[in-house]
Amino acid sequence: MRWFLGIFVCISCVYARHEQYDQSALFSVKAKDAEQINYFNSLDYPMDIWLYATQERNGLVLVPKGYVQQFQDELYSKGIEFVIEVENIKDSLELEDKLRADKARSRAMRSDNDLLVNFDDIYNLTEVNNYLKKIAEAYPDVATLVSGGKSFEGRDINYLKISNSNFQNASKPIIFVESLLHAREWVTLPTTLYAIEKLVVNVTDQDLIDDFDWIIMPVANPDGYEFSHDGGRFWRKNRRNGILPGDVCLGVDLNRNFDVFYGLGSSNNVCTEIYHGTAPFSEPESQVIRDILHSDDRIEMFLDLHSFGNLILYGWGTGELPENAFSLHVGGIQMATAINEVKEDWNLNYRVGNAALVLYPASGTAMDYGLKAGVPLSYTYELPGLRNFGSTILGFLVDPEFIKPSAVQTWEGIKEGAYFLRSIRRNLA
Ligand SMILES: *[C@@H]1O[C@H](CO)[C@@H](O)[C@H](O)[C@H]1NC(C)=O
Ligand SMILES: *[C@@H]1O[C@H](CO)[C@@H](O)[C@H](O)[C@H]1NC(C)=O
Ligand SMILES: *[C@@H]1O[C@H](CO)[C@@H](O)[C@H](O)[C@H]1NC(C)=O
Ligand SMILES: [Zn+2]
């Protein structure tokens, strides 16, 4: 009897998975002028904009069950062209689960060196933390595990300090790379894990460790990330609750919560994906990044990894250009070129530019705060995600086949960024 009950429970739990996304439809929207772009990009709750529309590129928006017809009518009435890319996004989520499960099965049959990551699945938070700990234990002379503080729900926000001179060589610049500030952007994680592998475990470019110190934070938003595995795959924000009575909506967009142009390009509606919080740095997760950025004058490059869009962006998020915009642009182009040279032919070329001009104005971002905190080369990466996935667009979903290539290609960009930093320092010296 018990056994049957067990089966029943398990089946119902499999079926309950992704239920909240059942019959949510993914729309691709072609906005043809400034008015239409503006209309699309300021859509409010309950739509979830995956990709902002620009002159060159269609926007993507996930529309929940119950709003699909209404949204179509609205687009018709405004004369905006659209295509429904995915009628029911739950099908795509199930495809992702299936592909990941297949890989997990094949992995279980191999005995791997556990200091090397298997880049065929996305590690969950426990696995990432175990990995960081293992690396720090195996390479105590190079890697130090640090908890930068606790998340809203009390999880450690961990990072590795990587240095062959114990962070004591004052003439070395520090490069700070961070991923998963936005929980659902899973494909960014393998890149930071690969960076650790290339800087600590399998070092093939010794100068990257001789000439630089590194701070690598794979999961900047651990509560949101955990939730994206076991609560809602498309969760973006942190898990701050108690803002509205009964928690009708919760979570702060951490990448709008930094104290830089706060509130100018974000929302004060907690039900949106770009809710900026109750005040600048109201959230422990953004405080941790702030504190790192201020912890050492030697931090000269900051890379905040997001997905998706094939972009390398720099400040300011308002569209004004910082004093060193020229260097930022040249560095961005060099990084993008390095990635474009190794990417697959089917993938889009990376584009480089000011975040507001290329994408859409946004305020309170980690990237802008890096610049404000005195880190000259501060960038946001938007990794690729426009590849077809079954009958759909990949977006935030991960194709296990693309995990390793994505990590390797992005690393080429980061490496090139380090070399660019070194070259401009030489010119200053
Ligand atoms: C994380 O992965 C481990 C297996 O490595 C598993 O035991 C654990 O349940 C997973 N946690 C979540 C929240 O999915
Ligand atoms: C180390 O990196 C090199 C170059 O990327 C690669 O060819 C080699 O297979 C890696 N070694 C291991 C053990 O992964
Ligand atoms: C400090 O780092 C610089 C840059 O890599 C290097 O040239 C120098 O030899 C290092 N100094 C010491 C004392 O290790
Ligand atoms: Zn993001």
Side-chain angles (χ1 to χ4, degrees):
M1 196 56 219
R2 223 168 226 220
W3 189 76
F4 281 106
L5 191 65
I7 294 238
F8 174 75
V9 168
C10 187
I11 286 173
S12 63
C13 90
V14 166
Y15 278 92
R17 235 176 122 68
H18 310 311
E19 212 49 52
Q20 61 194 295
Y21 300 113
D22 192 23
Q23 292 172 59
S24 289
L26 187 66
F27 281 68
S28 170
V29 175
K30 191 181 175 70
K32 62 173 188 283
D33 55 31
E35 194 186 329
Q36 293 192 351
I37 288 173
N38 193 44
Y39 161 77
F40 178 81
N41 289 344
S42 41
L43 283 173
D44 217 337
Y45 177 73
M47 314 299 172
D48 177 7
I49 297 181
W50 281 19
L51 200 62
Y52 288 107
T54 66
Q55 296 283 1
E56 295 84 25
R57 197 178 64 189
N58 293 354
L60 276 176
V61 59
L62 187 66
V63 181
K65 179 183 178 174
Y67 292 87
V68 174
Q69 190 56 49
Q70 189 185 321
F71 185 59
Q72 284 188 58
D73 293 346
E74 176 111 2
L75 292 177
Y76 279 128
S77 76
K78 297 218 155 37
I80 301 179
E81 285 176 50
F82 67 91
V83 173
I84 298 182
E85 296 281 355
V86 189
E87 297 236 353
N88 186 353
I89 202 77
K90 186 163 173 256
D91 297 341
S92 314
L93 288 162
E94 283 165 358
L95 175 60
E96 184 188 57
D97 285 346
K98 180 184 173 305
L99 295 176
R100 291 184 60 213
D102 291 349
K103 286 290 180 185
R105 255 192 298 281
S106 64
R107 182 171 62 232
M109 294 161 67
R110 294 200 310 268
S111 68
D112 289 314
N113 173 353
D114 63 2
L115 293 171
L116 292 169
V117 175
N118 283 296
F119 289 98
D120 55 8
D121 195 9
I122 299 293
Y123 280 14
N124 69 29
L125 184 65
T126 311
E127 293 169 309
V128 172
N129 285 334
N130 288 343
Y131 178 71
L132 298 181
K133 193 158 162 265
K134 240 167 7 191
I135 293 290
E137 283 167 4
Y139 300 92
D141 298 339
V142 190
T144 311
L145 178 60
V146 182
S147 168
K150 302 279 189 195
S151 66
F152 178 74
E153 293 180 331
R155 295 184 175 87
D156 280 312
I157 300 170
N158 287 326
Y159 59 90
L160 284 182
K161 292 174 81 166
I162 298 171
S163 169
N164 64 4
S165 48
N166 199 26
F167 266 67
Q168 296 302 312
N169 183 337
S171 68
K172 282 190 190 182
I174 301 171
I175 298 175
F176 175 19
V177 190
E178 162 258 297
S179 55
L180 288 176
L181 190 60
H182 285 150
R184 62 193 178 183
E185 297 168 6
W186 285 10
V187 81
T188 60
L189 175 65
T191 297
T192 35
L193 297 182
Y194 190 68
I196 293 168
E197 181 160 315
K198 298 311 287 177
L199 294 168
V200 181
V201 186
N202 180 12
V203 181
T204 48
D205 301 279
Q206 184 62 38
D207 55 342
L208 290 176
I209 190 83
D210 288 340
D211 295 353
F212 304 91
D213 287 344
W214 298 78
I215 294 174
I216 311 276
M217 178 189 283
V219 187
N221 172 13
D223 299 348
Y225 185 55
E226 185 88 336
F227 190 78
S228 73
H229 280 265
D230 62 15
R233 175 67 180 87
F234 297 130
W235 191 261
R236 164 183 165 103
K237 302 187 282 182
N238 78 347
R239 295 291 298 166
R240 159 80 61 186
N241 62 21
I243 297 163
L244 290 179
D247 288 330
V248 186
C249 297
L250 58 83
V252 171
D253 181 352
L254 298 172
N255 207 30
R256 299 291 183 276
N257 187 241
F258 288 72
D259 189 7
V260 53
F261 308 116
Y262 178 81
L264 284 184
S266 54
S267 171
N268 59 9
N269 174 359
V270 59
C271 291
T272 64
E273 295 294 347
I274 52 168
Y275 173 57
H276 52 221
T278 51
F281 291 124
S282 56
E283 303 311 299
E285 296 87 355
S286 44
Q287 290 167 19
V288 165
I289 293 174
R290 172 197 65 193
D291 294 347
I292 293 172
L293 288 167
H294 287 292
S295 67
D296 201 319
D297 290 346
R298 292 190 293 124
I299 302 178
E300 294 183 14
M301 179 174 255
F302 172 48
L303 305 177
D304 182 18
L305 305 185
H306 290 252
S307 86
F308 54 94
N310 304 65
L311 300 166
I312 292 178
L313 306 171
Y314 54 83
W316 304 98
T318 55
E320 289 157 79
L321 291 176
E323 248 170 62
N324 66 335
F326 183 73
S327 292
L328 279 165
H329 193 75
V330 174
I333 296 278
Q334 290 195 12
M335 294 191 283
T337 305
I339 300 175
N340 290 341
E341 274 169 8
V342 294
K343 72 170 181 52
E344 303 82 355
D345 291 337
W346 51 259
N347 218 331
L348 293 178
N349 275 322
Y350 267 78
R351 294 176 54 219
V352 179
N354 170 273
L357 301 180
V358 171
L359 205 52
Y360 196 68
S363 60
T365 65
M367 168 191 79
D368 272 357
Y369 193 78
L371 209 51
K372 182 178 171 183
V375 177
L377 299 176
S378 185
Y379 294 95
T380 299
Y381 271 50
E382 294 283 355
L383 268 49
L386 289 169
R387 181 190 185 185
N388 286 341
F389 184 56
S391 59
T392 142
I393 279 173
L394 211 47
F396 300 114
L397 297 165
V398 172
D399 178 349
E401 295 295 331
F402 189 52
I403 293 176
K404 177 91 188 243
S406 168
V408 171
Q409 292 166 16
T410 311
W411 176 242
E412 286 303 311
I414 296 173
K415 233 162 71 173
E416 190 61 30
Y419 294 144
F420 173 72
L421 168 59
R422 193 171 61 188
S423 74
I424 59 172
R425 294 180 101 236
R426 282 218 186 99
N427 293 342
L428 294 176

